[in-house]
Amino acid sequence: MNIIDKISLIAEKDDLNKRIDVFLASELDYTRSYLKKLILEGLVIVNGSIIKPNYKLKENDVVNVTIPEAEKIDIIPENIPLDIIYEDNDIIVVNKPKGMVVHPAPGNYSGTLVNALLYHCKNLSGINGELRPGIVHRLDKDTSGVMVVAKNDKAHINLSNQIKERTILKKYIAIVEGVIKDDEGKIEAPIGRHPIDRKKMAITNDGRYALTLYKVLERYKNNSFIEATIKTGRTHQIRVHMAYIGHPIVGDEVYGFKKQKFNLLGQALHSRLLGLIHPAKNIYMEFEAPIPYYFEKLINILKNK
């Protein structure tokens, strides 16, 4: 059997007693029926053992999923410019541009951050499989900003543990619809796959715990400029949470208004700051990505309205 990808996940406290197929469907971009097929074929391993689709998770269960190849993969290193914030033998920190996909996926094997990294770096960690070398965490295609990538497996494990323990600091900035009255607040609502549209996320009762803190930096006539700090790293977390409280992100065509006033080609969301313990040096480091031009342009438009 040829393998397309290997994915490793760790069950958290709020995943306790969830069926394995439900858990995987909430985490991965595959249907529940396809994931059940993988389980029955012995391609889902929990703590080193083959399990059944009705297996119920325990906290800290290590779940390894093998995705068999559906088509031949050839991830080619590409000479795509990288905005490198910091680099050493263990990590590389980049400022990902808006519009760039982080890693290859079926039907999209070129032009990604991984293609660029493979050209720039001789070695990247292999823990997350062939399609996601070095990728410890992701940013959405149209979210710009700071990201850390692991150059070796030891660094990858260390950074993954920091993410799991929620000790990594992640601060974003966003322009949202409407004027938020409170200067700051928190959104605590579980996020899972949308029950109908599997490409979307939603607030669901059986979703995973998610916490977003926000504060208003500036108010405009019909919009607010905010800073959001995420304490958990759920897919589309800030986008889903801000939409949930009635203030979706400007430009977000998935969770935001159907009619967008500004031609942004994606949400006005930027990963501004990332703070972590260096996996080898064992010192705290912070990395910042400057506000991109498209973001500053939008702020100037709103200020002059």
Side-chain angles (χ1 to χ4, degrees), residues 173-176 217-221 223-227 250 262 264 268-270 272 290-305:
I173 52 172
I175 305 290
V176 301
L217 302 176
E218 204 164 352
R219 293 179 177 90
Y220 310 111
K221 186 178 178 182
N223 299 91
S224 303
F225 177 26
I226 67 163
E227 177 185 85
V250 171
F262 310 99
L264 288 184
L269 180 62
H270 177 70
R272 187 183 66 83
I291 298 178
Y293 173 72
Y294 83 89
F295 212 103
E296 288 185 330
K297 187 179 175 183
L298 178 58
I299 288 173
N300 286 332
I301 290 169
L302 294 172
K303 279 181 176 179
N304 294 319
K305 270 195 147 192

Side-chain angles (χ1 to χ4, degrees), residues 26-86:
S26 71
E27 289 294 301
L28 306 176
D29 296 326
Y30 298 102
T31 64
R32 190 168 163 186
S33 59
Y34 175 73
L35 292 165
K36 185 176 180 180
K37 180 174 174 285
L38 294 184
I39 295 167
L40 292 171
E41 290 175 357
L43 296 176
V44 176
I45 306 294
V46 178
N47 302 327
S49 301
I50 293 173
I51 44 82
K52 293 181 179 180
N54 63 354
Y55 174 85
K56 291 189 177 178
L57 288 164
K58 303 176 188 67
E59 187 178 356
N60 295 321
D61 272 355
V62 177
V63 183
N64 290 298
V65 185
T66 298
I67 308 294
E69 185 178 22
E71 56 181 289
K72 192 178 185 308
I73 310 166
D74 193 9
I75 309 302
I76 300 169
E78 295 179 51
N79 188 8
I80 301 168
L82 283 173
D83 184 359
I84 299 169
I85 298 171
Y86 174 85

Side-chain angles (χ1 to χ4, degrees), residues 140-187:
D140 298 336
K141 175 186 175 183
D142 289 320
T143 299
S144 55
V146 62
M147 264 188 71
V148 63
V149 175
K151 283 190 166 184
N152 54 66
D153 289 356
K154 188 176 179 182
H156 194 126
I157 292 167
N158 183 292
L159 292 169
S160 292
N161 285 335
Q162 290 186 55
I163 289 171
K164 182 193 166 193
E165 291 161 10
R166 299 172 186 163
T167 57
I168 284 186
L169 178 63
K170 294 181 183 179
K171 289 190 175 185
Y172 293 72
I173 52 172
I175 305 290
V176 301
E177 303 284 5
V179 180
I180 299 177
K181 292 179 182 178
D182 297 328
D183 289 339
E184 56 186 50
K186 74 173 182 177
I187 309 163

Side-chain angles (χ1 to χ4, degrees), residues 81-139:
L82 283 173
D83 184 359
I84 299 169
I85 298 171
Y86 174 85
E87 183 178 11
D88 60 24
N89 292 330
D90 301 286
I91 62 173
I92 177 169
V93 181
V94 299
N95 179 14
K96 186 191 86 66
K98 185 183 184 70
M100 177 181 269
V101 175
V102 168
H103 60 75
N108 183 25
Y109 291 124
S110 67
T112 74
L113 179 63
V114 163
N115 294 103
L117 287 166
L118 289 172
Y119 184 90
H120 177 80
C121 306
K122 289 183 179 178
N123 298 307
L124 291 171
S125 72
I127 286 176
N128 262 355
E130 186 180 345
L131 294 183
R132 299 175 175 88
I135 301 304
V136 181
H137 67 117
R138 296 187 294 177
L139 292 178

Side-chain angles (χ1 to χ4, degrees), residues 219-251:
R219 293 179 177 90
Y220 310 111
K221 186 178 178 182
N222 298 306
N223 299 91
S224 303
F225 177 26
I226 67 163
E227 177 185 85
T229 302
I230 57 172
K231 297 297 184 179
T232 50
R234 308 302 174 214
T235 301
H236 301 172
Q237 178 171 322
I238 298 172
R239 297 166 64 190
V240 173
H241 269 175
M242 295 313 297
Y244 176 64
I245 65 167
H247 295 284
I249 298 174
V250 171

